[in-house]
Amino acid sequence: MRLTALLVSVFVTFSQSVAACDGRVISDGVYDAPLCTPTEPARIVVLDPQMALGMLWELDVPVLGAPLVSLPDADAGTRARKAGIADIGHAQQPSLERIVALRPDLIIGDAYTHESLYPSLTRIAPTVLSTHQDWKAHFMLLAEVTGRREPAAAMLKAYETRVADIREQVPEDLTVSVLRVSPNGFQVYLDGPRAYAPYAVLAEAGIRRPAYETTQGPDFRKRPGWEELTALDGDILLYVVANGYDPQGDDALAAKVEANPLWQMLPAVAAGRAWRVQRSQWMGFRGVASAHAVLDDIERFILP
């Protein structure tokens, strides 16, 4: 697609040559490493409206633009609007014209989603695309890029201290199943090398998942039908209901699923040990605060 005249006129080729770098050199956990980034970025555009935006908020880093249409919940939208963050479109295909107009000095995204946009983005500003799958490594990368390593390390230390305390309290023979209910069916986020952040927190806290929900391979999700739900045979079931971006339909969707006889036959449901958890941390994970919210649920629903 041909770029608009505005885009062409303001594009200035940005060289990320490390040899001439007068800022920070980022060598690990980023696409196209090593990269040269500003020492004190002041006009940051974020391409990920969930984890990266949430983590930068936790690090008290101001953000100039983000894909607001893709925000995971209403609270995030309210906060973004109050902060004056400009909308750059959809997270998977942000508007380059809008990004150019904001004149950023740093663009932050992730390689999985934004690799194809990288050549265009680097012509606008230094661009950091994280390759980290581990949420804590991602957090520390953002802290390094923005000069917030000390507060970030302190937040992670407090989290890890709490995780260690909880891990000592988890019964050894207990298993926990976790399920997402969506309008298009069920999703099981697996415990494995590519586990999505809240489920990685479960593993760090010593929570064991049934065999069906565990992998050593690259998969991170399964999509079981009603018949396969019997494989979710954990002693406890945690389930999150997310009816798309809009939470208005969550309760109706939950009621429909919970009334199904097949749902009532699940072992944890039949035993009265099935608990619905909030979408905010289980489907809209944003950082350390979300990790602590997952630990809150472990203490509330899993620990004796």
Side-chain angles (χ1 to χ4, degrees), residues 49-71:
Q50 191 166 292
M51 195 177 299
L53 179 59
M55 288 177 171
L56 291 177
W57 276 341
E58 286 186 325
L59 294 169
D60 197 27
V61 175
V63 175
L64 190 65
L68 302 187
V69 70
S70 304
L71 286 172

Side-chain angles (χ1 to χ4, degrees), residues 59 139-140 143-144 148-157 288:
L59 294 169
F139 184 58
M140 288 307 299
E144 179 181 2
R148 303 293 200 279
R149 286 191 62 86
E150 287 190 13
M155 283 186 269
L156 284 185
K157 183 178 180 179
V288 179

Side-chain angles (χ1 to χ4, degrees), residues 33-140:
L35 303 179
C36 179
T37 63
T39 302
E40 296 292 338
R43 300 182 63 81
I44 298 175
V45 166
V46 176
L47 307 179
D48 169 18
Q50 191 166 292
M51 195 177 299
L53 179 59
M55 288 177 171
L56 291 177
W57 276 341
E58 286 186 325
L59 294 169
D60 197 27
V61 175
V63 175
L64 190 65
L68 302 187
V69 70
S70 304
L71 286 172
D73 57 58
D75 290 342
T78 299
R79 179 172 181 177
R81 286 189 293 272
K82 287 184 177 179
I85 296 177
D87 183 19
I88 62 168
H90 195 280
Q92 294 184 344
Q93 194 63 46
S95 167
L96 296 180
E97 290 89 345
R98 295 183 188 180
I99 296 175
V100 168
L102 293 173
R103 300 188 181 279
D105 57 10
L106 182 65
I107 300 172
I108 296 175
D110 70 88
Y112 179 80
T113 306
H114 306 113
E115 178 181 351
S116 63
L117 297 174
Y118 185 74
S120 297
L121 294 170
T122 56
R123 295 177 63 192
I124 303 172
T127 300
V128 173
L129 300 186
S130 172
T131 59
H132 284 305
Q133 296 174 353
D134 178 86
W135 70 271
K136 292 184 294 183
H138 186 65
F139 184 58
M140 288 307 299

Side-chain angles (χ1 to χ4, degrees), residues 38-270:
T39 302
E40 296 292 338
R43 300 182 63 81
I44 298 175
V45 166
V46 176
L47 307 179
D48 169 18
Q50 191 166 292
M51 195 177 299
L53 179 59
M55 288 177 171
L56 291 177
W57 276 341
E58 286 186 325
L59 294 169
D60 197 27
V61 175
V63 175
L64 190 65
L68 302 187
V69 70
S70 304
L71 286 172
D73 57 58
D75 290 342
T78 299
R79 179 172 181 177
R81 286 189 293 272
K82 287 184 177 179
I85 296 177
D87 183 19
I88 62 168
H90 195 280
Q92 294 184 344
Q93 194 63 46
S95 167
L96 296 180
E97 290 89 345
R98 295 183 188 180
I99 296 175
V100 168
L102 293 173
R103 300 188 181 279
D105 57 10
L106 182 65
I107 300 172
I108 296 175
D110 70 88
Y112 179 80
T113 306
H114 306 113
E115 178 181 351
S116 63
L117 297 174
Y118 185 74
S120 297
L121 294 170
T122 56
R123 295 177 63 192
I124 303 172
T127 300
V128 173
L129 300 186
S130 172
T131 59
H132 284 305
Q133 296 174 353
D134 178 86
W135 70 271
K136 292 184 294 183
H138 186 65
F139 184 58
M140 288 307 299
L141 171 63
L142 297 185
E144 179 181 2
V145 170
T146 57
R148 303 293 200 279
R149 286 191 62 86
E150 287 190 13
M155 283 186 269
L156 284 185
K157 183 178 180 179
Y159 159 78
E160 289 167 352
T161 298
R162 186 182 178 197
V163 162
D165 179 64
I166 290 175
R167 190 164 51 240
E168 292 180 355
Q169 303 177 56
V170 175
E172 293 184 1
D173 59 347
L174 183 74
T175 57
V176 177
S177 289
V178 190
L179 178 70
R180 179 197 176 186
V181 180
S182 75
N184 299 320
F186 302 110
Q187 298 174 15
V188 173
Y189 286 82
L190 304 175
D191 177 9
R194 294 189 60 199
Y196 175 43
Y199 307 95
V201 172
L202 282 182
E204 288 185 342
I207 303 301
R208 280 164 286 280
R209 308 275 296 279
Y212 177 81
E213 303 173 44
T214 305
T215 182
Q216 295 302 318
D219 296 337
F220 69 94
R221 181 175 58 192
K222 290 182 178 178
R223 297 180 180 273
W226 275 104
E227 297 77 9
E228 291 181 83
L229 285 189
T230 55
L232 276 68
D233 56 0
D235 302 303
I236 293 173
L237 171 66
L238 303 180
Y239 63 102
V240 56
V241 181
N243 187 38
Y245 288 124
D246 186 0
Q248 295 299 318
D250 288 358
D251 290 343
L253 178 60
K256 179 180 178 180
V257 170
E258 292 164 356
N260 192 300
L262 293 176
W263 178 266
Q264 300 297 327
M265 293 173 61
L266 291 175
V269 175

Side-chain angles (χ1 to χ4, degrees), residues 12-21 34-37 122-126:
V12 176
T13 301
F14 171 78
S15 172
Q16 292 187 319
S17 171
V18 174
C21 183
L35 303 179
C36 179
T37 63
T122 56
R123 295 177 63 192
I124 303 172

